[in-house]
Amino acid sequence: MSVQKEYHGTIDYGDLTVTDGISVFDPAFDERFVYDGDDLGAVYSPERTRFRLWAPTASEAKVVLYDTWDGTAVNELPMQRDVKGTWTLTVEEDCRGLFYTYRVKVGQSWNEAVDPYAKAVGVNGEKAAILDLRSTDPQGWEQDVKPSLASPVEAVIYELHLRDLSIHPHSGIRQKSKFLGLTEEGTRGPEGIPTGLDHIAGLGVTHVQLLPVFDYSRESVDESRLDEPHYNWGYDPQNYNVPEGSYATDPYDPAKRITELKQLVQTLHARGLRVIMDVVYNHVYDGYLIHFTKLVPGYYLRYKADGTLSDGAFCGNECASERPMMSKYIVESILHWVREYHIDGFRFDLLGLIDIETMNEIRRRLDEIDPSILMIGEGWMMETVLPKERRANQENAGKLPGIGMFNDGMRDAVKGDIFIFDRKGFISAGEGFEDGVKRGVAGGIDYDGAELKQFAVEPIQSVNFVECHDNHTLWDKIELSTPDASDDERRAMHRLASAIVLTSQGIPFLHAGQEFMRTKGGVENSYKSPIETNWLDWERCAAHQDDVSYLRSLIALRQAHPAFRLRTADEIRAHLRFEAAPPHAVAYTLRDHAGGDPDRHLYVLYNATPGALSLELPALGPWEVRFGGEHVLALQAGASESAAAAAPAAAGGPPAGGARLEVRGVGVVVLAVPR
């Protein structure tokens, strides 16, 4: 590693004479050395390969060439210093099939590192690979067409870990734990049920969100030892612009992982599904060993005043996204995934650690390509040295148009506090959660001032969920918080939670297996638990086919009624009205053909009490059951709206029109006044 020495009260790296006395921590460093070209990394052609490296603090730089991923160097070629702290080299021959690294002299030390801009790598990402990216395109790639998406609120997201999908012994999927496992069609599991892609497509979801599939550290999964037990979610970024090799049929072939991920995207598009990548630009796997630090020590990560690494991510470090060259890197990385892999959306891990300016620049650049590309993330309020007003979190959602954030307030209101395991929520008859549910129903917007206000300015900013890869599954949380309930009672609570997600304004988000009451055996944080804890249990899926059908019907209900997918806050305020309901129940109407809905009015009831319940219905016309008829004991449909207006109720009497609804059991009921 490079020499470290004190500089203006902080730690500086290297020899300041190289930068004319300007420290990497000095604002003047960016003014002097920001490079705005688009040719960083290796640019291949059969005639030559051009290399450009950004390393302003280096006094010397070299390209090191290798014949194999694990061999010794066959050549070491000096680079020439060029503009804005960059170094260049052109090799006038066909370098296809070679591997390379950079060596830089920083201070008195020589550091060797993978090119951060590498688009292909060898096993475990320890050397960059030189290849023609066009040779990795599957047949028909140029004709790949993504499904249409008119608005983010039209999305129904299904979060999936690739290994979870296929690794179960009865998944019926041949290429287990691989990109291609998700491309297999016609797979069948226990009792002949559809599995894999057929199962997902059959639910009616619109987007598959993949847990990290970029190249992550061998400390998470060693690509050279895949025959041994292994599992990890992959939140340990190493090479941001390359697919993870453990999901390829041959991690030793740099082209395989690229082609096979493209085949996955191509196949899902053909089945009417878009693809979201889970991306982790808030931290790296190791702040000291990552290529960023080896090439330009001190620049790419955040430091506290005492010189130690800022660690709001609780992973040892944070990426300094606010610094121009780090911001440029993140933006260009996102654009690479869109252009090269046709990715349709991005879920930003720990979004609250990334700066607002970078996120807005990504949104601007994506809008130039395709405004329908989704951007969502974890807008948690994280502690970091980045000033509060610059953090891309829920408090600053108003500064982040077009970027969605997970609605944890709704999640905790529905199922109970995720960190207090035995705490009940609305679905389990917990006290005082009705307003929390209402806030989620309204899409997190300022619906009624301080009473029903969350972080969102528009509904596309609220990602509604009750379960994801983090924390307990919904089923496990319900079990922990309802020790005296029966499984049938828990299934009713579980169904109600999913119904709330799919009938609320905003973007609904489902965790793979939520449709069949997925359990991880009570494990809260399964990021490196055995595969038996994490796999999608297709035997459980077979046993819960009625629950799968129920969730499928909820998605169909949402898709049939635009009223559940209002695109603006003004539309929600104009058409959504909360109705009278007793404790442990929430009722609302969506009125006047909301969003162009085929029905004139909708009435939705979330009931968390198992006993009988009687409610007065608004006198809007004759009501009919649209969903949840199994809970309806009686429906006095009421008079027409005009008749109700002509015969107002007596003081203290029933509502004009006399409409009443009697229900029993925990669940959701949807009524409608037709045209």
Side-chain angles (χ1 to χ4, degrees):
M1 230 5 166
S2 59
V3 173
Q4 301 179 6
K5 52 187 173 185
E6 294 300 317
Y7 181 78
H8 294 318
T10 65
I11 297 176
D12 187 56
Y13 296 85
D15 185 351
L16 291 178
T17 61
V18 173
T19 58
D20 293 335
I22 304 173
S23 165
V24 293
F25 300 108
D26 192 323
F29 188 87
D30 288 324
E31 295 175 14
R32 178 76 172 271
F33 295 113
V34 165
Y35 177 72
D36 62 3
D38 61 359
D39 59 345
L40 288 169
V43 180
Y44 167 82
S45 73
E47 295 76 27
R48 64 187 60 85
T49 298
R50 296 188 177 95
F51 300 89
R52 187 180 290 272
L53 164 69
W54 188 72
T57 61
S59 58
E60 296 182 59
K62 300 177 181 180
V63 172
V64 186
L65 296 175
Y66 298 84
D67 279 335
T68 62
W69 70 273
D70 60 348
T72 57
V74 297
N75 212 340
E76 199 167 297
L77 304 172
M79 305 183 78
Q80 300 299 312
R81 188 184 295 276
D82 202 68
V83 298
K84 297 293 187 178
T86 64
W87 299 79
T88 63
L89 170 70
T90 299
V91 178
E92 298 284 353
E93 59 183 75
D94 191 345
C95 296
R96 181 172 179 169
L98 295 179
F99 296 85
Y100 75 99
T101 59
Y102 291 127
R103 289 193 72 209
V104 295
K105 187 178 183 182
V106 183
Q108 300 303 310
S109 299
W110 281 95
N111 302 330
E112 186 170 1
V114 179
D115 182 358
Y117 281 83
K119 306 299 193 297
V121 296
V123 170
N124 285 319
E126 293 168 352
K127 292 182 179 66
I130 302 173
L131 52 74
D132 178 4
L133 283 174
R134 296 288 61 76
S135 70
T136 68
D137 294 346
Q139 185 176 1
W141 185 239
E142 291 184 358
Q143 289 75 49
D144 175 56
V145 177
K146 65 181 64 182
S148 62
L149 184 73
S151 167
V153 298
E154 304 288 329
V156 179
I157 300 172
Y158 188 84
E159 182 195 40
L160 177 70
H161 185 280
L162 277 172
R163 191 162 168 79
D164 292 359
L165 175 77
S166 55
I167 200 64
H168 189 276
H170 301 299
S171 70
I173 298 171
R174 294 180 296 102
Q175 298 171 101
K176 297 184 184 300
S177 192
K178 303 303 178 185
F179 290 124
L180 295 184
L182 185 51
T183 70
E184 293 183 27
E185 301 181 86
T187 60
R188 294 293 179 265
E191 301 178 29
I193 64 165
T195 62
L197 176 57
D198 286 357
H199 169 82
I200 296 170
L203 291 173
V205 299
T206 65
H207 290 66
V208 175
Q209 177 177 304
L210 301 175
L211 267 70
V213 293
F214 54 73
D215 182 62
Y216 46 81
S217 169
R218 72 182 302 169
E219 299 302 317
S220 299
V221 173
D222 189 336
E223 296 171 11
S224 68
R225 304 172 66 178
L226 296 178
D227 56 335
E228 300 176 8
H230 63 277
Y231 187 86
N232 204 283
W233 284 342
Y235 292 94
D236 296 312
Q238 180 168 269
N239 294 296
Y240 281 104
N241 297 327
V242 189
E244 163 63 15
S246 65
Y247 296 131
T249 55
D250 183 1
Y252 295 88
D253 179 350
K256 283 284 187 182
R257 61 182 78 191
I258 299 173
T259 297
E260 290 172 358
L261 178 53
K262 289 178 179 179
Q263 287 178 284
L264 182 157
V265 174
Q266 184 180 38
T267 301
L268 265 59
H269 283 174
R271 291 294 298 266
L273 295 164
R274 288 186 166 214
V275 181
I276 298 173
M277 275 186 68
D278 193 335
V279 289
V280 188
Y281 294 109
N282 65 84
H283 74 276
V284 295
Y285 82 96
D286 188 302
Y288 299 101
L289 299 180
I290 193 69
H291 41 50
F292 291 134
T293 300
K294 291 181 178 180
L295 294 170
V296 192
Y299 183 84
Y300 288 98
L301 304 178
R302 290 188 186 130
Y303 294 82
K304 299 178 183 177
D306 63 3
T308 60
L309 289 166
S310 184
D311 188 20
F314 300 101
C315 296
N317 62 83
E318 300 168 25
C319 294
S321 64
E322 70 280 9
R323 303 212 62 175
M325 290 302 289
M326 188 74 218
S327 180
K328 171 185 171 69
Y329 181 87
I330 295 171
V331 173
E332 291 182 356
S333 177
I334 290 289
L335 296 178
H336 171 68
W337 288 108
V338 171
R339 291 166 175 159
E340 189 65 35
Y341 293 87
H342 302 177
I343 295 298
D344 308 297
F346 299 90
R347 177 265 191 195
F348 291 83
D349 184 65
L350 299 185
L351 172 63
L353 292 177
I354 304 175
D355 68 289
I356 290 170
E357 294 85 353
T358 294
M359 294 306 301
N360 282 336
E361 178 63 10
I362 294 171
R363 182 71 272 171
R364 184 186 73 81
R365 298 289 296 275
L366 291 180
D367 284 346
E368 291 176 348
I369 298 171
D370 178 2
S372 72
I373 295 173
L374 293 184
M375 289 177 63
I376 63 173
E378 295 180 300
W380 318 138
M381 273 66 82
M382 314 288 292
E383 283 306 312
T384 169
V385 296
L386 185 69
K388 288 186 177 181
E389 66 273 12
R390 298 188 68 185
R391 302 174 191 173
N393 59 28
Q394 289 179 359
E395 289 182 348
N396 293 319
K399 302 176 183 178
L400 293 155
I403 299 173
M405 299 182 189
F406 286 92
N407 194 329
D408 55 328
M410 180 186 187
R411 174 199 65 195
D412 288 355
V414 171
K415 71 176 184 179
D417 193 305
I418 61 169
F419 299 115
I420 305 175
F421 303 156
D422 61 353
R423 180 73 56 85
K424 295 179 184 294
F426 174 79
I427 59 171
S428 44
E431 299 290 338
F433 291 107
E434 291 80 7
D435 280 353
V437 172
K438 290 178 181 178
R439 294 185 188 102
V441 167
I445 65 166
D446 183 354
Y447 176 80
D448 188 23
E451 292 298 316
L452 295 178
K453 182 178 181 180
Q454 280 188 291
F455 58 87
V457 177
E458 296 291 345
I460 64 173
Q461 290 186 292
S462 182
V463 180
N464 304 323
F465 75 118
V466 288
E467 172 178 343
C468 68
H469 68 276
D470 277 325
N471 310 112
H472 290 108
T473 67
L474 175 59
W475 180 262
D476 289 347
K477 167 64 180 178
I478 293 172
E479 276 200 320
L480 289 166
S481 58
T482 60
D484 298 325
S486 68
D487 277 357
D488 283 344
E489 291 170 328
R490 291 172 179 146
R491 286 177 67 202
M493 298 174 197
H494 196 290
R495 286 185 172 194
L496 176 57
S498 295
I500 294 171
V501 168
L502 285 161
T503 53
S504 291
Q505 304 299 324
I507 303 172
F509 175 101
L510 306 169
H511 181 220
Q514 183 174 331
E515 65 274 23
F516 54 80
M517 318 288 171
R518 183 176 183 175
T519 176
K520 295 183 181 179
V523 176
E524 180 200 10
N525 189 12
S526 66
Y527 77 99
K528 61 177 182 180
S529 296
I531 55 172
E532 293 82 3
T533 299
N534 285 287
W535 64 27
L536 289 186
D537 185 345
W538 294 106
E539 291 179 311
R540 185 176 179 88
C541 181
H544 284 267
Q545 281 296 292
D546 54 344
D547 295 308
V548 174
S549 296
Y550 184 79
L551 189 123
R552 184 184 299 116
S553 66
L554 282 171
I555 294 172
L557 173 72
R558 181 180 182 85
Q559 293 173 336
H561 289 280
F564 294 125
R565 299 176 270 120
L566 301 179
R567 298 183 185 182
T568 69
D570 285 343
E571 283 186 284
I572 294 171
R573 286 187 282 262
H575 295 283
L576 171 65
R577 183 179 300 180
F578 288 103
E579 307 292 348
H584 307 298
V586 169
Y588 64 92
T589 50
L590 290 160
R591 302 188 177 198
D592 303 315
H593 297 290
D597 200 281
D599 286 317
R600 186 170 184 183
H601 308 296
L602 294 177
Y603 175 92
V604 181
L605 170 68
Y606 306 140
N607 180 32
T609 56
L613 185 66
S614 179
L615 300 101
E616 297 174 352
L617 294 173
L620 298 174
W623 293 99
E624 301 175 358
V625 177
R626 285 284 180 269
F627 191 88
E630 68 274 16
H631 297 292
V632 176
L633 296 176
L635 173 60
Q636 185 176 343
S640 68
E641 193 170 4
S642 57
R660 295 194 67 81
L661 171 68
E662 293 184 27
V663 300
R664 179 184 295 277
V666 173
V668 63
V669 174
V670 179
L671 309 178
V673 173
R675 293 181 185 275

